[in-house]
Amino acid sequence: MSSEASQPEQQGDESKSASKKAAKKEAAKLEKERRRQEAAALAASASNFSIEEDPLAANYGDVPLPELQSKAPVDTGNWTEVGALSEALKDQRVLVRGRSQTIRSVSKNMAFLVVREKGFTVQCVVTAIPDVVSRQMVKYVSGLSRESIVDVEGIVSVPKDAIKGATQQVEVQVRKLYCVNAALPTLPINVEDAARSEVEIDKALQAGEQLVRVNQDTRLNNRVIDMRTPANQGIFRIQCQVGTIFRQFLLSEGFVEIHTPKLIAGSSEGGAAVFKLDYKGQPACLAQSPQLHKQMAICGDFGRVFEIGPVFRAEDSYTHRHLCEFTGLDVEMEIKEHYFEVMDIVDRLFVAMFDSLNKNCEKQLEAIRKQYPFEPLKYLRNTLRLTFEEGVQMLKDAGVEVDPLGDLNTESERKLGQLVLEKYGTEFYILHRYPLVVRPFYTMPCYDNPAYSNSFDVFIRGEEIISGAQRVHVPEFLAERAQACGIDVKTISPYIDSFRYGAPPHGGFGVGLERVVMLFCGLNNIRKTSLFPRDPLRLAP
Amino acid sequence: MSSEASQPEQQGDESKSASKKAAKKEAAKLEKERRRQEAAALAASASNFSIEEDPLAANYGDVPLPELQSKAPVDTGNWTEVGALSEALKDQRVLVRGRSQTIRSVSKNMAFLVVREKGFTVQCVVTAIPDVVSRQMVKYVSGLSRESIVDVEGIVSVPKDAIKGATQQVEVQVRKLYCVNAALPTLPINVEDAARSEVEIDKALQAGEQLVRVNQDTRLNNRVIDMRTPANQGIFRIQCQVGTIFRQFLLSEGFVEIHTPKLIAGSSEGGAAVFKLDYKGQPACLAQSPQLHKQMAICGDFGRVFEIGPVFRAEDSYTHRHLCEFTGLDVEMEIKEHYFEVMDIVDRLFVAMFDSLNKNCEKQLEAIRKQYPFEPLKYLRNTLRLTFEEGVQMLKDAGVEVDPLGDLNTESERKLGQLVLEKYGTEFYILHRYPLVVRPFYTMPCYDNPAYSNSFDVFIRGEEIISGAQRVHVPEFLAERAQACGIDVKTISPYIDSFRYGAPPHGGFGVGLERVVMLFCGLNNIRKTSLFPRDPLRLAP
């Protein structure tokens, strides 16, 4: 490899300068400290406390901008994460950066500051000590605004009693404290309010106390602050984990990740409303699913593919579970003999996902549960599979009449979820062999009864999260099916033509990432699991 | 966990039926075979060869549709992948599904068929044998169209001489052969032609032979076939691997994957042209980068985030390296002290990526190289970093005059790439401290000289693949910078307001996935590394 050929030269350069490095680092450290003190002194002199008044003024103050413009040499080894503060660091000097979550002035000589970083919090104590910490510093800290970014340097101490107001069970005895970036004194919402559970609010109300309840729209309008609540930190880390497991599992099963275009000519397949736009003079729209292109990848010999990407739906849905833009997890694969091969992937993938979330995301789930209580998802080792007919029969037996060849509405789906839970003890199951008429034209009919189809939906807690099926791979039959569904075959000829050059039998499914997270965590609104949700009324922030 | 509570019941069901399963499976197998023979007989009777003429007619023919509608029970254990065919399977009966890549009729008694699956190929021999393989079957096979999907059942044999026309060094002595899905007899392009290298075409030309050259547009118009070439199979598997390493590396460094909206109100930040659309009566556009939202995630306490998603640019660029839609790999992170912290991530991430590609994708790289010859990328263990000023000086020393406070054009970038390669032996390097005026308004100026900025570009083989910088995190200064750049501050107030509630110093970068693959593999056009490219003239397929 050519890069290796050039390596000795590079390493030569490295070792030549190796001896100088340590000395340089030390000098840089000293220089940095000098500059910091200079800057802090400058800042302090400009503030209420003049340098004459406080000989210790260099130990605190607002950091002036130039200090934050990559002036100091890199030495991230100086920093300790709040989450890493523990008894093991007792009596050691640490430097942390975080937010001033709460500030409590006890007296002229003492103030408490809870500093938060990535969801972890630590109590910092500022006590006036002659020649070490000045009263002016205590005053400065007391005047900080909440949510400001601060650098705190101090000694780790271990208090006798357990600390209730912070995650870390040590304190920092502050020696220096600088404000890196000040938040507005009055925030549109407080993190504390946004993090409050309904249970807490109700309990307080019963005790005659009225606590602030931050409603959904206010949260979303101020998402930058709302995101900081422990529950939201948990939700989006879980979302990340769902995507990660989805990928890892599929990669390990020989799937290839693809990226299909979101800008497509004309209008997308299927019935849902599309967002239209002008593409260099051509009519175009935003893909409402990667359906066509993932099937083309199968016809292009990739065997098994998946995609994670945005999906656009211009529908006027104002429900708790619809968005105009969401993240689609899409899968398509060759099948040898049966659409059950696709269901097998769904089964193993999701059981692996739930197992992993329960095992590896305990902290996050706990943080979510604290604000939004929920029961852990009940699921089986081998996912329950019911035919649509069996589902209809269960509903019928329970006194719910549904059209045996129609679709289930949201209410029937919920009811069936209840019945399944009671009978089989699972909140995760697959319903397959749907009536053909309620599925898209490209769905393969059943071999033994064309009123049904080789298709399935998957449910969590009574709500649909996945739709999948075997596809029609024979071009002539596909055209016939399109026509039967009232689609002008001419408008979809590029789609049909894709299957004219040899097409293997195949199937696939699509999952809504936000729905998976919402339902796994028993949340009541999909806007809670989209970082910046888009619905018919919301296009910001 | 509730799911475990319900497990015994489920396992009980399982073991109850366990004894029946084996018997059932055997019965199903027999039944399946019977049905297959029935169907094949039916198909054969409908074709030229009547069942009277050929008592072995059940061994070949077109598979009728009902057989492919998930009729058979699932038993994928029957199948062997073409790539798995080896001497170890000698004398065993195997069943494979693949494409009839080439069909060669030798005589009435013999035909050869090369079957391809996922880039692997095997030679299948159809020889007439009394009471086993009929002459009619040889004729049927000879008449198959290329690229059809076929099921081949036969005995693995090991020929004396090496096989040149296939990847697998065994043959299959065919006993049964069914066509699952027939390709059109005449394809718009042949895979063989699409897979041909320029070198091969030129060589043939010198020998007086004119071979078909498939041009780019024809390829892209017939992408479903074009995708099947070994080079394309390699390119998109490499693309998948780049995304995988990008993710794995960042996850291991504490980054969180996020999904930001592509539909945004008004027009995106920055200068590039945007695709506009109507969003439920509101003016909207497609995000030309996740810049604002990934920065908001940093202000929302996620610390370190990344995103992989589509990026839309409505620019009228007709170059070899611009697309109207591409896959952006975006990173944003808090920085403690210096923008070098961001460059350190770039450095380690890409060295890890190149190492992994070279190590784990040898076959894919070889397949690409065969059609599009290229030299392995030269890169150093520690990525070279030059300041913009140093770069300008190198160009100047080489007689190339460039504006020291302007941007480099494509030509200068290429030239500098050459100079760097000659001097430092690397084709991958970072150029940092760009002039402020050529960077977006949100770029942090240098502390010591506001004519420069805390920004960088990264180059592979003389072409830019990454742009990154420290961002301005102070809202007042951000407004000032926007104004200085001629931007109406009112139009970006939501962006600026995001930094009013405490914003940590931060920086990040964006990478074009297609460019990384193109330049790592030394390809000459970005359309080769986008599965379905979108440019000002192309919106299909």
Side-chain angles (χ1 to χ4, degrees):
Chain A
M1 220 174 55
S2 315
S3 66
E4 282 174 354
S6 59
Q7 209 184 319
E9 187 193 351
Q10 173 72 359
Q11 284 183 336
D13 286 354
E14 284 288 308
S15 59
K16 216 175 0 179
S17 64
S19 58
K20 289 185 198 168
K21 256 193 173 170
K24 238 183 180 173
K25 200 175 168 184
E26 188 52 28
K29 217 168 174 178
L30 288 169
E31 164 67 358
K32 190 172 125 190
E33 179 56 22
R34 194 188 59 75
R35 279 188 307 201
R36 184 157 234 160
Q37 289 187 7
E38 233 178 69
L42 204 77
S45 73
S47 76
N48 287 334
F49 323 100
S50 86
I51 201 155
E52 278 81 23
E53 279 177 51
D54 185 5
L56 296 171
N59 290 345
Y60 59 95
D62 296 351
V63 181
L65 183 59
E67 289 302 308
L68 301 169
Q69 287 178 276
S70 300
K71 189 178 172 186
V74 186
D75 189 0
T76 49
N78 289 333
W79 300 85
T80 305
E81 290 216 343
V82 169
L85 293 171
S86 69
E87 284 195 33
L89 294 171
K90 191 174 178 246
D91 296 335
Q92 288 191 34
R93 207 174 172 103
V94 293
L95 173 62
V96 299
R97 177 171 293 170
R99 288 187 189 278
S100 50
Q101 177 167 285
T102 53
I103 303 115
R104 190 159 52 93
S105 174
V106 178
S107 70
K108 278 188 178 174
N109 292 319
M110 196 177 197
F112 289 101
L113 179 76
V114 173
V115 172
R116 186 184 77 237
E117 187 188 20
K118 289 181 188 165
F120 298 102
T121 46
V122 66
Q123 177 144 284
C124 301
V125 188
V126 192
T127 318
I129 305 167
D131 299 331
V132 178
V133 173
S134 65
R135 276 193 172 190
Q136 289 95 324
M137 180 163 159
V138 176
K139 190 175 172 190
Y140 173 81
V141 171
S142 304
L144 284 173
S145 53
R146 282 180 175 207
E147 295 296 308
S148 295
I149 305 289
V150 292
D151 284 355
V152 179
E153 204 176 314
I155 317 286
V156 176
S157 67
V158 183
K160 275 182 226 159
D161 302 321
I163 299 171
K164 277 185 186 168
T167 60
Q168 305 311 106
Q169 291 306 305
V170 296
E171 288 181 337
V172 176
Q173 303 298 326
V174 179
R175 292 295 173 262
K176 296 180 181 181
L177 195 149
Y178 305 98
C179 179
V180 169
N181 191 267
L184 288 179
T186 307
L187 300 171
I189 57 173
N190 288 320
V191 175
E192 206 180 341
D193 295 334
R196 196 167 286 135
S197 74
E198 288 295 316
V199 175
E200 216 177 321
I201 294 171
D202 290 347
K203 228 185 243 173
L205 210 59
Q206 282 164 13
E209 195 191 350
Q210 182 111 29
L211 294 176
V212 174
R213 171 186 279 130
V214 187
N215 75 34
Q216 181 102 289
D217 263 343
T218 310
R219 285 176 191 281
L220 294 178
N221 289 338
N222 298 284
R223 195 60 152 164
V224 160
I225 304 173
D226 182 47
M227 256 186 244
R228 300 173 192 170
T229 64
N232 279 338
Q233 290 285 314
I235 285 170
F236 294 102
R237 284 185 161 84
I238 295 244
Q239 192 194 65
C240 169
Q241 186 69 4
V242 168
T244 301
I245 302 162
F246 182 79
R247 257 186 214 102
Q248 281 175 349
F249 179 88
L250 293 174
L251 288 171
S252 76
E253 296 276 335
F255 285 78
V256 177
E257 184 176 18
I258 57 170
H259 300 281
T260 67
K262 304 308 154 202
L263 288 166
I264 55 177
S267 74
S268 223
E269 49 63 40
V274 296
F275 288 107
K276 290 176 188 137
L277 71 154
D278 173 82
Y279 186 91
K280 308 278 168 190
Q282 279 186 73
C285 71
L286 296 178
Q288 51 184 347
S289 98
Q291 190 60 36
L292 164 58
H293 292 97
K294 68 179 184 172
Q295 286 191 260
M296 286 174 81
I298 296 303
C299 294
D301 276 3
F302 284 101
R304 305 180 133 196
V305 298
F306 72 94
E307 175 165 19
I308 300 185
V311 166
F312 305 93
R313 304 272 165 97
E315 284 166 293
D316 280 322
S317 295
Y318 298 84
T319 75
H320 75 285
R321 66 196 201 112
H322 286 93
L323 290 172
C324 289
E325 179 179 348
F326 63 89
T327 305
L329 312 179
D330 268 274
V331 168
E332 201 70 21
M333 59 189 270
E334 287 183 16
I335 63 184
K336 294 292 192 209
E337 308 188 340
H338 207 289
Y339 69 98
F340 279 10
E341 294 164 41
V342 182
M343 279 163 47
D344 288 345
I345 291 285
V346 170
D347 183 350
R348 290 190 293 121
L349 165 57
F350 278 82
V351 170
M353 185 185 288
F354 300 150
D355 284 351
S356 167
L357 291 176
N358 284 329
K359 193 180 153 200
N360 303 316
C361 299
E362 259 184 79
K363 272 189 188 174
Q364 285 80 12
L365 292 169
E366 189 47 45
I368 299 168
R369 197 168 313 158
K370 212 171 160 186
Q371 180 164 6
Y372 307 111
F374 70 94
E375 289 295 314
L377 184 75
K378 293 184 179 67
Y379 61 101
L380 306 174
R381 291 288 94 197
N382 295 295
T383 304
L384 175 71
R385 298 170 187 201
L386 295 173
T387 63
F388 187 83
E389 277 181 295
E390 288 167 338
V392 167
Q393 189 59 49
M394 281 177 74
L395 284 167
K396 205 176 166 184
D397 293 345
V400 183
E401 279 298 334
V402 294
D403 179 357
L405 290 179
D407 210 349
L408 297 179
N409 60 23
T410 309
E411 207 187 329
S412 316
E413 286 177 350
R414 271 191 191 283
K415 181 67 190 168
L416 185 55
Q418 276 175 25
L419 296 172
V420 166
L421 176 59
E422 285 160 21
K423 185 167 177 186
Y424 299 98
T426 181
E427 294 173 299
F428 177 71
Y429 73 100
I430 303 175
L431 196 65
H432 67 105
R433 257 182 92 96
Y434 268 69
L436 184 64
V437 288
V438 304
R439 310 298 286 200
F441 72 94
Y442 49 75
T443 310
M444 185 66 93
C446 289
Y447 77 98
D448 57 346
N449 185 350
Y452 290 98
S453 63
N454 294 342
S455 64
F456 60 91
D457 274 6
V458 184
F459 296 85
I460 299 187
R461 302 190 201 260
E463 295 194 38
E464 181 249 313
I465 52 152
I466 301 176
S467 233
Q470 180 183 0
R471 325 296 185 183
V472 175
H473 65 282
V474 181
E476 297 76 20
F477 187 45
L478 191 57
E480 190 188 314
R481 287 294 310 137
Q483 214 154 19
C485 292
I487 294 165
D488 183 358
V489 175
K490 261 180 289 172
T491 63
I492 55 161
S493 62
Y495 178 68
I496 294 175
D497 288 344
S498 305
F499 303 98
R500 296 198 192 279
Y501 319 120
H506 63 285
F509 59 93
V511 190
L513 173 60
E514 293 83 357
R515 277 198 193 170
V516 173
V517 178
M518 169 177 82
L519 293 167
F520 183 79
C521 298
L523 296 166
N524 63 0
N525 197 310
I526 201 158
R527 288 158 190 80
K528 287 196 170 76
T529 58
S530 172
L531 205 48
F532 300 100
R534 296 290 181 256
D535 65 29
L537 296 173
R538 178 172 290 281
L539 183 58
Chain B
M1 217 174 52
S2 315
S3 65
E4 282 174 355
S6 58
Q7 210 183 316
E9 186 193 349
Q10 172 73 359
Q11 283 183 337
D13 286 354
E14 284 289 308
S15 57
K16 218 180 346 181
S17 63
S19 57
K20 291 186 198 165
K21 256 195 174 170
K24 238 184 179 174
K25 200 174 170 184
E26 187 54 29
K29 214 168 177 177
L30 288 171
E31 164 66 358
K32 188 171 127 193
E33 178 57 21
R34 195 187 58 75
R35 279 190 306 202
R36 184 159 233 157
Q37 288 187 6
E38 232 177 69
L42 204 76
S45 73
S47 74
N48 287 335
F49 323 99
S50 86
I51 201 156
E52 277 81 23
E53 281 178 49
D54 185 4
L56 297 171
N59 289 346
Y60 60 93
D62 296 349
V63 182
L65 183 59
E67 289 301 309
L68 301 169
Q69 287 178 276
S70 300
K71 188 179 172 187
V74 186
D75 189 1
T76 49
N78 289 333
W79 300 84
T80 304
E81 290 217 343
V82 169
L85 292 172
S86 69
E87 284 195 34
L89 294 171
K90 192 174 177 243
D91 297 334
Q92 290 190 36
R93 206 174 172 102
V94 293
L95 173 62
V96 300
R97 176 173 293 171
R99 288 186 190 277
S100 50
Q101 177 167 283
T102 52
I103 302 115
R104 192 159 50 93
S105 172
V106 178
S107 70
K108 279 189 178 175
N109 292 320
M110 196 177 199
F112 289 101
L113 179 76
V114 173
V115 172
R116 187 183 77 236
E117 186 188 21
K118 291 182 188 165
F120 297 101
T121 46
V122 65
Q123 177 145 283
C124 301
V125 189
V126 192
T127 319
I129 304 168
D131 298 331
V132 178
V133 172
S134 64
R135 274 194 174 190
Q136 287 96 324
M137 179 163 161
V138 176
K139 190 177 172 190
Y140 172 81
V141 171
S142 304
L144 284 172
S145 53
R146 283 181 174 205
E147 295 296 308
S148 295
I149 305 289
V150 291
D151 284 355
V152 179
E153 204 177 315
I155 317 286
V156 176
S157 67
V158 182
K160 275 183 223 160
D161 301 322
I163 300 171
K164 277 185 187 169
T167 61
Q168 305 311 106
Q169 291 306 304
V170 295
E171 288 181 335
V172 176
Q173 303 297 327
V174 179
R175 291 296 173 260
K176 296 181 181 180
L177 195 150
Y178 306 97
C179 180
V180 169
N181 189 268
L184 287 178
T186 307
L187 299 172
I189 57 174
N190 288 320
V191 175
E192 205 180 345
D193 294 335
R196 195 168 285 135
S197 75
E198 288 295 317
V199 176
E200 214 178 321
I201 293 170
D202 290 347
K203 228 186 241 172
L205 210 60
Q206 282 164 13
E209 194 191 350
Q210 184 110 29
L211 294 176
V212 174
R213 172 187 278 130
V214 186
N215 75 35
Q216 182 101 284
D217 264 342
T218 309
R219 283 175 191 285
L220 294 178
N221 290 338
N222 298 284
R223 195 57 154 167
V224 161
I225 304 173
D226 182 46
M227 257 186 242
R228 300 174 191 169
T229 65
N232 278 337
Q233 290 285 314
I235 285 169
F236 293 101
R237 285 186 159 83
I238 295 246
Q239 193 195 65
C240 169
Q241 185 69 5
V242 168
T244 301
I245 301 162
F246 182 80
R247 256 187 214 101
Q248 281 175 350
F249 179 88
L250 293 174
L251 288 171
S252 76
E253 296 275 336
F255 286 76
V256 178
E257 184 176 20
I258 57 170
H259 301 280
T260 67
K262 305 309 154 202
L263 287 166
I264 56 178
S267 74
S268 223
E269 49 64 41
V274 297
F275 287 108
K276 288 175 190 141
L277 71 154
D278 175 79
Y279 186 90
K280 308 277 170 192
Q282 281 186 72
C285 70
L286 295 179
Q288 51 184 344
S289 99
Q291 189 61 36
L292 163 58
H293 291 99
K294 68 179 182 171
Q295 287 190 260
M296 286 173 81
I298 295 303
C299 294
D301 276 4
F302 284 100
R304 303 180 134 195
V305 297
F306 72 94
E307 176 165 18
I308 300 185
V311 166
F312 305 93
R313 304 272 165 96
E315 286 167 291
D316 280 321
S317 296
Y318 298 83
T319 74
H320 75 285
R321 65 197 201 111
H322 287 93
L323 289 172
C324 289
E325 179 179 349
F326 63 88
T327 304
L329 312 179
D330 267 276
V331 168
E332 202 71 21
M333 58 189 269
E334 285 185 15
I335 64 184
K336 295 292 192 208
E337 309 187 341
H338 206 290
Y339 69 99
F340 280 9
E341 294 164 40
V342 183
M343 279 164 47
D344 288 345
I345 291 284
V346 170
D347 182 349
R348 289 190 293 120
L349 165 58
F350 278 82
V351 170
M353 184 185 290
F354 300 151
D355 283 352
S356 166
L357 291 175
N358 284 329
K359 194 180 152 199
N360 303 317
C361 299
E362 258 184 80
K363 273 189 188 174
Q364 285 82 11
L365 292 169
E366 190 46 47
I368 299 168
R369 200 170 336 208
K370 211 169 163 190
Q371 180 164 7
Y372 307 111
F374 70 93
E375 288 296 313
L377 184 75
K378 292 183 180 68
Y379 60 101
L380 306 173
R381 290 288 93 197
N382 296 295
T383 304
L384 175 71
R385 299 170 186 201
L386 296 173
T387 63
F388 187 83
E389 276 182 296
E390 287 167 338
V392 167
Q393 190 58 49
M394 280 177 75
L395 284 167
K396 204 175 169 186
D397 293 346
V400 183
E401 280 298 335
V402 293
D403 178 358
L405 289 179
D407 209 349
L408 298 179
N409 60 23
T410 309
E411 206 185 331
S412 315
E413 286 178 350
R414 271 191 192 283
K415 180 68 190 167
L416 185 56
Q418 276 174 25
L419 297 171
V420 166
L421 176 59
E422 284 160 21
K423 185 167 177 186
Y424 299 98
T426 180
E427 294 173 299
F428 177 72
Y429 75 99
I430 303 176
L431 196 65
H432 67 105
R433 257 181 92 94
Y434 268 70
L436 184 63
V437 288
V438 305
R439 308 299 286 204
F441 73 92
Y442 50 77
T443 310
M444 185 65 95
C446 289
Y447 76 98
D448 57 345
N449 186 348
Y452 291 97
S453 63
N454 294 341
S455 63
F456 60 90
D457 275 7
V458 185
F459 296 85
I460 300 186
R461 302 191 203 259
E463 293 195 38
E464 181 249 314
I465 52 152
I466 301 176
S467 232
Q470 181 182 0
R471 326 294 185 184
V472 175
H473 65 281
V474 182
E476 297 77 19
F477 188 45
L478 191 58
E480 190 188 315
R481 287 294 309 137
Q483 212 153 22
C485 292
I487 293 165
D488 182 358
V489 175
K490 260 180 289 171
T491 62
I492 56 162
S493 63
Y495 177 69
I496 294 176
D497 288 344
S498 305
F499 303 98
R500 297 198 193 278
Y501 318 121
H506 63 284
F509 60 92
V511 190
L513 172 62
E514 292 83 356
R515 278 198 192 171
V516 173
V517 178
M518 169 176 83
L519 292 166
F520 183 79
C521 299
L523 296 166
N524 63 0
N525 198 310
I526 201 158
R527 289 159 188 79
K528 287 195 170 77
T529 58
S530 172
L531 205 50
F532 301 100
R534 296 290 181 254
D535 66 28
L537 296 173
R538 176 173 292 281
L539 183 58

